[in-house]
Amino acid sequence: MNSGKVKEEEQDGMSVHSPCKPPPSSASSVPKDLAEVELELRLLQAFEIYPPNKLQGVHRHFVIFGLMEYLKRSFDRPFSSEEVLQLLDRFYNVEMLKSDDDEIDILNHEEEFSLPPSFFIKEES
């Protein structure tokens, strides 16, 4: 049984995994790889404008939106926030960048506002 498998792997003295013979899928994967590299490079360029350290906290959504717009202008196609987060996940642990519940509580805290009574007193001369 082993001799049949060896014959399938070797033809004319060359192995299927021989470096002389490119894998069948490599022709179609080269443009994809170049496109992925270009995408990652554009994202790294965008970090100059939209620093990744601001991905944590109040500015998180503004930075993600800025990255979406930068990539949209660079590639002439829209990018969703999910796509941007997937790209970010290649370089950062996105789970660690998510905001804490404490920040959400601070942002959702409401206080009743009223003008001081002195504002309503008219000065009489």
Side-chain angles (χ1 to χ4, degrees), residues 32-121:
K32 181 182 176 193
D33 291 340
L34 290 175
E36 290 296 316
V37 169
E38 182 70 23
L39 189 59
E40 289 176 357
L41 285 173
R42 295 289 182 185
L43 179 69
L44 292 173
Q45 289 173 347
F47 285 160
E48 291 180 22
I49 302 168
Y50 305 102
N53 63 343
K54 291 193 176 182
L55 282 168
Q56 192 170 19
V58 180
H59 302 288
R60 172 185 171 85
H61 299 289
F62 295 108
V63 172
I64 292 173
F65 182 77
L67 292 171
M68 287 168 53
E69 287 297 309
Y70 186 90
L71 292 173
K72 177 182 174 183
R73 288 188 201 127
S74 297
F75 291 98
D76 292 326
R77 74 168 186 89
F79 284 82
S80 70
S81 59
E82 287 299 319
E83 288 175 302
V84 171
L85 288 172
Q86 286 175 356
L87 281 170
L88 288 170
D89 198 37
R90 295 180 187 180
F91 299 100
Y92 297 99
N93 184 353
V94 177
E95 292 297 319
M96 294 296 293
L97 294 174
K98 287 189 176 177
S99 60
D100 296 331
D101 291 333
D102 296 338
E103 289 181 18
I104 293 172
D105 290 340
I106 291 170
L107 293 174
N108 290 333
H109 178 71
E110 292 182 20
E111 284 186 27
E112 189 172 318
F113 176 78
S114 62
L115 292 170
S118 61
F119 181 80
F120 297 107
I121 300 175

